[in-house]
Amino acid sequence: MTLQVRKADPKEPGATALLQASHALMTSLYPAEHNHYLEIDELCTPDISFLIVEEDGEALGCGAMANKGTYGELKSIFTDPKGRGKGVAALIMSALEAEATAQNLPVLKLETGDTLDAAHRLYARCGFTICEKFGAYDDGPHSVFMEKQLT
C-alpha cells in the first residue's frame, strides 16, 4: 500500500468526491461570504495544477495550485478522514511546492480558515508563515494568510 501523487482532472470521480467533501466541510464551518474555495469547474483551467494522492487507486487527498504570475496560490488542500495520519497532506504540499518551483514561481501563498488548526500546523511544518492579505481577498474575520518563499 503505497501512496502515489499524480496530476488529475478535478472532474474524475475520486477527485470530485474529495472536493465535494471539502466544500461541505467549509460550508459547515463558515458563512458563504467567507468561503473562498474554487468550484470544480474553476479548477479546470490552464493556470491550475490539480493533484490527487491515491492509495491502491483510492483518492485520499487533493490539492491545487493556481499560477498567479508572480506567485502560486494553494487551493483545495483536503485529506479524506481515511487518509489522515498517513502523510497524505505532506505529500500534497511537497508535490505542489515542486510544481511551483518547476513553474519558476518565487513564492507560494494561501488563505485558510481561522479555526482550521490542523491545517495551520501542517502549513507551519511545511515552512509557511503568516503574511498580509493578498490578491482580491478582503480582511475577513475568518481568514488566515500564509506564504512560503521558494527562492
Side-chain angles (χ1 to χ4, degrees), residues 78-145:
F78 182 75
T79 302
D80 185 275
K82 290 183 279 185
R84 294 183 186 153
K86 294 183 175 189
V88 171
L91 185 57
I92 292 166
M93 295 296 291
S94 176
L96 290 172
E97 183 175 330
E99 184 68 22
T101 300
Q103 294 182 30
N104 297 311
L105 295 169
V107 63
L108 279 173
K109 298 184 180 203
L110 62 87
E111 180 275 341
T112 190
D114 63 338
T115 60
L116 300 175
D117 297 331
H120 300 172
R121 289 189 299 274
L122 168 71
Y123 301 143
R125 280 194 311 271
C126 292
F128 284 77
T129 57
I130 300 292
C131 67
E132 297 295 317
K133 74 177 185 74
F134 61 90
Y137 290 103
D138 292 325
D139 271 328
H142 299 291
S143 289
V144 174
F145 300 97

Side-chain angles (χ1 to χ4, degrees), residues 1-6 8 12-15 18 52-61 82:
M1 295 197 192
T2 302
L3 295 176
Q4 295 184 354
V5 62
R6 68 174 175 86
E12 291 177 21
L18 289 169
I52 61 171
V53 173
E54 296 172 315
E55 183 178 56
D56 297 329
E58 182 179 11
L60 295 179
K82 290 183 279 185

Side-chain angles (χ1 to χ4, degrees), residues 43-95:
L43 291 166
C44 298
T45 61
D47 63 316
I48 302 279
S49 299
F50 183 82
L51 307 175
I52 61 171
V53 173
E54 296 172 315
E55 183 178 56
D56 297 329
E58 182 179 11
L60 295 179
C62 65
M65 187 210 47
N67 185 325
K68 298 292 189 175
T70 58
Y71 64 92
E73 182 180 355
L74 299 186
K75 302 294 289 184
S76 301
I77 309 296
F78 182 75
T79 302
D80 185 275
K82 290 183 279 185
R84 294 183 186 153
K86 294 183 175 189
V88 171
L91 185 57
I92 292 166
M93 295 296 291
S94 176

Side-chain angles (χ1 to χ4, degrees), residues 8-54:
D9 180 340
K11 292 183 178 180
E12 291 177 21
T16 295
L18 289 169
L19 290 166
Q20 288 171 337
S22 175
H23 297 172
L25 175 63
M26 294 302 104
T27 300
S28 76
L29 295 174
Y30 304 109
E33 66 272 17
H34 297 291
N35 269 309
H36 303 293
Y37 58 77
L38 295 177
E39 296 293 342
I40 293 172
D41 286 341
E42 294 175 298
L43 291 166
C44 298
T45 61
D47 63 316
I48 302 279
S49 299
F50 183 82
L51 307 175
I52 61 171
V53 173
E54 296 172 315

